[in-house]
């Protein structure tokens, strides 16, 4: 899936009282604000947040994964992108103006603060919720119109939320054994220290939750769908300090970490950095921070004492070792069995005339996943979308509002699981009746893009920014396109969205060449508003490939697919295919049968469905 | 073709005396230089230069179109890219170190000045030969090691060259009638003034020779292959000043220009800008300069008084009007007839056992072009390359050194003409005997890239940077690639290389979306050092296309090909083709016959060759 989050009530919440209370806080003498910015992220710049950190959703009523709210003395604006226009329109009440990002002449939130608010405004923000880089750029832009960025000590939305705000989760952290990680945390830390010493950094402050989990070979459950836990870490030449609520740590975890790891309370990182800031100055040494580190951490360490770069842990984590790669392969086979069992079950239910809604479907799919070895939980909210709901790119069905699954419309199902040996993410679009010619043509164009990415071979150094076009050329021939990236990295029993690489039109993806051992999704789509959505998503691994020649001695890379849920041939418009594509489809479906059938009971519903669905396309 | 220039003697010149003289000039008291930088460009940052401006070729002996020389007190380094490694190796004598740009760990010339020369060096340069932007960046880098950039009043290489230096050409400028230009110069200037007034610029100084020629609907012959003349222009709200040697202007030209155009001598532009610099300051108005304007012009106007942007004339010129587009189509048909006549003649000569060298071929091709209506001259030095010479990407055969055309090797011919109604540029690779399997496979991979570009359909806003990958994916499957861009803009009876757009891996091409009315070449290649070269190049026009849908309401674009010289089917490895590619080849060749045969005498050698070569591939 290309981005989603918490369950979303697709209906407006009345936000009048919340906004009024927030505006009252603007007037506090020490702040005297014109506006307050409420990002989606938490203090770790997480994409998925715990309920206590869902401040933007609380204040605006909009629950999509991406977006930012600005409440000013006389306006409230919610900024989100094309994936969420429909959802935001439904969820925002009369207090809010939806700012459609990406549409010409609609300002970004930064432009809005500069252009739409009065000059000399005082713009409040919680400095833990914005990166140091973004804060710096913003301060400069605001400065040009005499406005200023005001870091608030408390989060003002939290004050409005009051006792109704859920507590911060404090679930235990658990050891992930080396049979899953393939590499000790000592080894990872030793590598990190090598990187730091090359540039003579004092140390690196780790703030991204998945980086902490990866580095220490621990997993948690503080954030829904992401097996992470709240913590910071500071790695220096001499020290390894984990800032964490010690209640989360069992003796087993402490034994695993060993005596070299020191523990301090979660928020003590700010205090420690403030103390160290004096040392940094006198020693003329810098602290490395990642570009995703919060402004608040930078303020604590001293802005001049830090140097910002892409996190070395992010880069190291992206390249999976052999144990992780094998774990990813294995969990994808079991995951495919669950999805296949679900589709088979759903088809039977619908053909028996049973009425099932989208949530019923999602729940049953979760149940099938739950039967699989090493399953821990979902990796994101299942998108189970019938007909027009499929066009809401990050639709999340809700019990009260979701639609019945209509056997005469396209059904888009984007789902994934967390397994101890890996994380999955798969989308298939299927039809239980007779698809229209338009649906088939759109499906086939999407499939051709999917195949073009899958078959790509490219020299080392090539980025996902450059490959993205391959997912679109077939769609473009029909004047079709999609407004999301083609692929994102996938963690190994970690976050389903992972950097630093990706396949897409965002220019940051041009900074990171794809490298052997990386995971990435291949998920082109097409969305016809009010009618249907098509997306075909598999996870692929980047691997070295042998080519007849090796021009430039760079070495060449390609993809190994690890998702094995068949492509529905009923939806393919054969007249559009070239023979290689035709062969690809049959080859892929045959591979699905060969690889996944051993995980299905012979003659079970799922087995028979798989057998039928993988019959060769004529 | 993707880049070439003057005739090149593929043999080393002894440069010892020249370098010694140059180093003596370093010691002049007012300079006291550590090194002197000698760029390829002239004062207009032209890619092709007049003989008097070929200073880098004079000092180094290396005659390729791209490169830069740095002579320091105890070293001489020549920087050029992959297209020219072989040529430079042959042409540079023992005084020179070849710095292969693009190879890992080889510094750029800027890095070389900073890293390889002593700190606190004084680096001399003629400020007319470097852009203001490049000078600024360079000064900053040099400043970090205490070095400085010294603008020399005279060009020191000219002093070394002395009387042997050819005089600056002073050929007449001629009117290009509106039946070729489709638009009056008054109209172009009015448009430019509109652009300038939007941003309240005082005016725009035009320094690129092709921009001046285009703006005034004049053509000249001061630079070989480029129909331009030496001049500058200054366009302000009230004035149109053409800085030009008045000897170049006939009464007809003066009448064409009208009374609103004032004339000043060529070099008076510096004096006028120095005077204006006072006015700019007092009026707080800025002069717009293009990013390609020389540092010398900026120094004259005052660095603070100028604002640098991509030239608005460059952008306007790139989008051809209907008259220009039709002219381009027409001249390409006649040009194709010439190339076809040549290939037919060459085949006959070789099969008769006659020995012909590469220059004989190029000369005969020029003769065939000369027979065509509206032909003016070549648009660049013909690349006529047999076997291994085809792997020298910008090989230019020389009478003394060139090879015989071997009927048993691949023959690569890249050539073009200037016609009053347009400019052509075409490359075909052919074989007169039996090609090897390796040659066929490489040719077919290149052809598949050519076809993929030709067939591309893409939404408005797409850049050539993004499309480039389509030219390479087929090659990559075999581990092949090429080290040059896929396509460049082509002028309309102007320079054969034209910006601002292009298809290629240079990130600047990501700044300029392809737009309807633009011209661009489609020229993937493959080069096997010491063996053969393959390149297939046609010119295409960007045009709006109808697609079944129009997602995002952006409108979609595609290409119209205008080069009609058949693709040699003998060289195609049919087993690699998909049916669409197969059909494309037959469709294209059939179109060549249909469109070009009317320009050939029935039953002539060329006609019969064309008929045979365009027979359908089975």
């Amino acid at each position: 899936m290309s981005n989603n989050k918490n369950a979303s009530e697709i209906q407006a919440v009345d936000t009048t009282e919340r906004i009024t209370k927030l505006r009252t806080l603007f007037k506090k003498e020490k702040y005297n604000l014109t506006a307050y910015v409420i990002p989606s992220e938490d203090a770790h710049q997480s994409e998925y947040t715990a309920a206590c950190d869902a401040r933007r959703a609380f204040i605006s009523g909009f629950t999509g994964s991406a977006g930012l709210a600005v409440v000013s003395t006389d306006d409230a604006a919610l900024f989100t992108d094309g994936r969420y226009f429909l959802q935001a329109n439904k969820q925002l009440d009369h207090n809010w103006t939806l700012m459609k990002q990406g549409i010409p002449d609609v300002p970004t939130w930064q432009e809005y603060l500069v252009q739409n608010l009065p000059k000399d405004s005082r713009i409040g923000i919680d400095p833990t919720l914005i990166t140091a880089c973004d804060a710096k750029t913003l301060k400069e832009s605001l400065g040009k119109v005499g406005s200023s960025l005001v870091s608030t000590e408390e989060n003002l939305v939290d004050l409005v939320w009051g006792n109704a705000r859920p507590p911060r989760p404090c679930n235990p952290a658990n050891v992930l054994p080396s049979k899953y990680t393939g590499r000790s945390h000592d080894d990872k830390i030793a590598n990190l220290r090598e990187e730091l010493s090359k540039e003579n950094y004092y140390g690196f402050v780790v703030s991204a939750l998945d980086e902490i989990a990866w580095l220490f070979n621990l997993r948690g459950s503080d954030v829904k769908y992401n097996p992470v836990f709240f913590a910071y870490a500071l790695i220096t030449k001499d020290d390894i300090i984990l800032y964490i609520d010690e209640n989360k740590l069992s003796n087993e975890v402490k034994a695993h970490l060993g005596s070299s790891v020191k523990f301090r309370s979660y928020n003590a990182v700010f205090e420690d950095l403030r103390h160290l800031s004096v040392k940094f100055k006198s020693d003329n040494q810098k602290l490395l921070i990642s570009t995703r580190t919060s402004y608040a951490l930078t303020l604590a360490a001293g802005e001049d004492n830090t140097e910002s770069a892409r996190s070395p842990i992010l880069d190291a984590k992206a390249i999976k070792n052999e144990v992780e790669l094998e774990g990813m392969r294995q969990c994808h086979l079991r995951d495919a069995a669950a999805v296949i069992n679900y589709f088979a079950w759903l088809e039977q239910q619908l053909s028996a005339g049973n009425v099932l809604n989208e949530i019923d479907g999602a729940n049953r799919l979760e149940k099938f996943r739950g039967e699989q070895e090493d399953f821990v939980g979902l990796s994101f909210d299942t998108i189970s979308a019938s007909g027009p709901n499929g066009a809401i790119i990050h639709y999340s069905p809700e019990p009260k509002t979701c639609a019945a699954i209509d056997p005469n419309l396209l059904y888009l199902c984007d789902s994934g699981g967390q397994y101890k040996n890996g994380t999955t993410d798969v989308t298939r679009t299927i039809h239980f009746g007779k698809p229209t010619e338009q649906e088939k043509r759109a499906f086939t164009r999407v499939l051709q893009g999917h195949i073009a990415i899958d078959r790509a071979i490219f020299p080392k150094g090539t980025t996902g920014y450059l490959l993205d076009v391959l997912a679109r050329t077939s769609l473009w021939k029909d004047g079709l396109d999609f407004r999301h990236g083609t692929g994102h990295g996938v963690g190994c029993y970690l976050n389903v969205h992972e950097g630093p690489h990706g396949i897409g039109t965002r220019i940051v993806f041009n900074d990171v060449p794809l490298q052997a051992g990386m995971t990435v999704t291949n998920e082109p789509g097409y969305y016809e508003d009010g009618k249907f959505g098509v997306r075909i998503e598999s996870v692929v691994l980047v691997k070295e490939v042998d080519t007849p020649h090796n021009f430039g001695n760079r070495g060449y890379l390609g993809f190994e697919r690890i998702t094995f849920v068949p492509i529905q041939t009923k939806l393919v418009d054969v007249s559009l295919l070239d023979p290689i594509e035709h062969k690809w489809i049959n080859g892929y479906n045959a591979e699905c049968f060969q690889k996944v059938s051993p995980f299905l009971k012979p003659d079970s519903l799922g087995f028979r469905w798989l057998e039928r669905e993988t019959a060769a396309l004529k």
Side-chain angles (χ1 to χ4, degrees), chain A:
Chain A
M1 57 132 220
S2 39
N3 249 326
N4 199 4
K5 197 166 53 178
N6 304 316
S8 52
E9 290 286 332
I10 302 285
Q11 54 195 35
V13 173
D14 185 347
T15 60
T16 310
E17 193 187 327
R18 300 170 187 184
I19 292 177
T20 309
K21 275 190 189 168
L22 180 61
R23 285 183 178 138
T24 312
L25 294 170
F26 285 12
K27 292 168 195 154
K28 274 197 177 188
E29 206 179 320
K30 61 178 170 181
Y31 298 140
N32 188 25
L33 302 179
T34 323
Y36 197 63
V37 176
I38 306 112
S40 298
E41 289 78 13
D42 63 13
H44 305 272
Q45 318 305 315
S46 308
E47 181 191 352
Y48 292 67
T49 53
C52 61
D53 289 322
R55 300 174 180 100
R56 192 260 301 139
F58 168 77
I59 200 72
S60 70
F62 167 67
T63 60
S65 77
L68 178 141
V70 175
V71 175
S72 62
T73 41
D74 39 37
D75 200 4
L78 187 282
F79 300 77
T80 192
D81 63 60
R83 296 170 297 170
Y84 292 112
F85 293 166
L86 298 176
Q87 181 179 337
N89 261 328
K90 285 188 185 173
Q91 293 187 316
L92 294 174
D93 71 8
H94 63 280
N95 290 292
W96 291 86
T97 309
L98 173 59
M99 307 298 274
K100 296 182 172 180
Q101 301 299 279
I103 301 291
D105 301 325
V106 176
T108 63
W109 64 271
Q110 293 94 336
E111 288 165 352
Y112 174 90
L113 296 177
V114 171
Q115 295 162 10
N116 297 45
L117 296 188
K119 292 189 175 196
D120 304 316
S121 285
R122 288 175 55 80
I123 317 285
I125 195 163
D126 175 346
T128 65
L129 306 186
I130 184 171
T131 66
C133 299
D134 289 346
K136 193 181 165 198
T137 314
L138 184 57
K139 280 196 292 182
E140 284 169 8
S141 322
L142 291 175
K144 286 182 188 158
V145 292
S147 296
S148 53
L149 190 68
V150 180
S151 293
T152 61
E153 281 164 46
E154 325 92 319
N155 186 296
L156 303 193
V157 174
D158 290 353
L159 297 181
V160 173
W161 211 341
N163 290 334
R165 181 172 172 238
R168 182 162 302 283
C170 184
N171 301 322
N174 299 306
V175 175
L176 189 67
S178 61
K179 69 170 176 170
Y180 296 121
T181 65
R183 200 174 155 202
S184 72
H185 68 279
D186 289 332
D187 186 44
K188 292 176 181 178
I189 290 170
N191 258 212
L192 174 63
R193 280 174 163 161
E194 241 170 69
E195 291 291 314
L196 296 173
S197 75
K198 271 187 210 159
E199 305 281 338
N200 193 31
Y201 288 119
Y202 173 79
F204 178 62
V205 55
V206 200
S207 72
L209 299 183
D210 61 335
E211 294 183 17
I212 296 171
W214 178 85
L215 186 66
F216 292 102
N217 289 337
L218 297 175
R219 295 296 186 269
S221 58
D222 285 346
V223 176
K224 202 174 172 189
Y225 306 130
N226 290 356
V228 297
F229 50 91
F230 286 105
Y232 293 98
L234 178 64
I235 313 296
T236 72
K237 191 161 74 78
D238 303 315
D239 288 318
I240 306 168
I241 309 173
L242 186 59
Y243 296 89
I244 191 166
D245 185 331
E246 277 204 55
N247 291 320
K248 301 166 93 81
L249 303 175
S250 66
N251 288 335
E252 189 206 341
V253 169
K254 287 184 177 175
H256 157 82
L257 291 174
S259 57
S260 58
V261 179
K262 292 174 198 160
F263 305 107
R264 297 263 292 144
S265 70
Y266 176 55
N267 275 313
V269 67
F270 295 98
E271 189 187 325
D272 282 7
L273 290 182
R274 268 189 295 271
H275 281 135
L276 281 170
S277 68
V278 183
K279 183 179 157 53
F280 295 147
K281 255 196 195 92
S282 65
D283 293 5
N284 199 19
Q285 252 195 327
K286 299 239 179 195
L287 180 71
L288 182 66
I289 59 163
S290 105
T291 45
R292 304 281 297 156
T293 299
S294 75
Y295 184 40
L297 281 170
T298 314
L299 286 174
E303 286 185 82
D304 294 344
N305 302 325
T306 59
E307 201 156 299
S308 168
R310 201 167 65 221
S311 163
I313 302 181
L314 183 70
D315 287 4
K317 176 165 61 63
I319 297 173
K320 272 63 182 168
N321 61 45
E322 281 308 323
V323 172
E324 290 172 317
L325 291 172
E326 191 50 31
M328 288 292 279
R329 288 186 193 102
Q330 288 303 323
C331 74
H332 274 79
L333 296 178
R334 293 181 167 83
D335 196 69
V339 175
I340 288 163
N341 278 327
Y342 167 57
F343 285 159
W345 171 86
L346 183 56
E347 181 187 82
Q348 193 197 42
Q349 292 293 314
L350 294 174
S351 67
N354 294 336
V355 176
L356 291 162
N357 70 26
E358 295 162 330
I359 282 273
D360 297 332
N363 290 342
R364 177 55 80 130
L365 173 54
E366 183 167 2
K367 193 170 158 292
F368 280 118
R369 278 203 164 91
E371 293 166 2
Q372 302 299 326
E373 196 182 316
D374 279 338
F375 178 76
V376 180
L378 299 186
S379 59
F380 59 94
D381 233 17
T382 297
I383 299 176
S384 164
S386 179
N389 288 339
I392 303 174
I393 298 182
H394 288 285
Y395 178 68
S396 205
E398 285 303 311
K400 291 179 197 162
T401 55
C402 71
I405 299 174
D406 186 334
N408 297 310
L409 298 177
L410 277 180
Y411 176 65
L412 186 157
C413 184
D414 185 352
S415 66
Q418 294 289 3
Y419 297 80
K420 285 195 174 160
N421 49 355
T423 302
T424 69
D425 185 358
V426 51
T427 311
R428 289 294 179 269
T429 306
I430 57 178
H431 202 291
F432 301 98
K434 194 174 153 50
T436 66
E437 286 308 307
Q438 195 203 359
E439 286 165 343
K440 284 175 71 175
R441 191 166 177 112
F443 181 90
T444 307
R445 287 310 194 188
V446 171
L447 177 58
Q448 289 177 303
H450 181 89
I451 295 171
I453 292 287
D454 186 86
R455 294 186 62 238
I457 288 171
F458 46 92
K460 287 182 184 175
T462 304
T463 66
Y465 182 78
L466 288 171
L467 293 185
D468 178 75
V469 72
L470 302 179
R472 299 180 198 268
T473 41
S474 292
L475 284 158
W476 287 349
K477 289 195 194 305
D478 278 1
L480 305 180
D481 203 352
F482 56 96
R483 289 201 186 97
H484 60 72
T486 296
H488 56 82
V490 179
C492 186
Y493 185 25
L494 266 178
N495 296 0
V496 73
H497 290 151
E498 190 180 80
H501 60 291
I503 303 175
T505 57
R506 288 172 54 206
I507 192 77
V508 290
F509 294 140
N510 212 23
D511 294 337
V512 191
L514 295 176
Q515 291 171 70
M518 283 180 167
T519 56
V520 70
T521 61
N522 171 8
E523 51 174 316
Y526 173 69
Y527 310 92
E528 181 90 15
D529 277 358
K531 286 193 175 167
F532 64 84
V534 173
R535 184 161 64 251
I536 302 171
E537 176 189 27
S538 292
V539 175
V540 295
L541 311 177
V542 183
K543 62 168 186 183
E544 311 230 0
V545 295
D546 278 332
T547 46
H549 304 268
N550 182 15
F551 181 80
N553 288 315
R554 288 176 291 181
Y556 284 74
L557 300 171
F559 296 121
E560 173 190 342
R561 48 183 180 261
I562 59 173
T563 300
F564 290 106
V565 179
I567 306 286
Q568 197 175 39
T569 51
K570 183 207 285 189
L571 279 165
V572 176
D573 179 344
V574 183
S575 73
L576 293 176
L577 299 181
D578 71 35
I580 290 170
E581 291 165 337
H582 199 127
K583 200 174 153 196
W584 185 96
I585 297 166
N586 286 337
Y588 175 73
N589 280 349
E591 205 178 353
C592 290
F593 182 79
Q594 179 239 318
K595 293 212 153 125
V596 185
S597 58
F599 295 87
L600 298 166
K601 270 191 223 123
D603 273 327
S604 66
L605 203 59
F607 188 97
R608 278 179 281 129
W609 184 90
L610 178 63
E611 199 168 33
R612 191 198 71 210
E613 285 289 312
T614 56
L617 171 70
K618 295 288 179 285

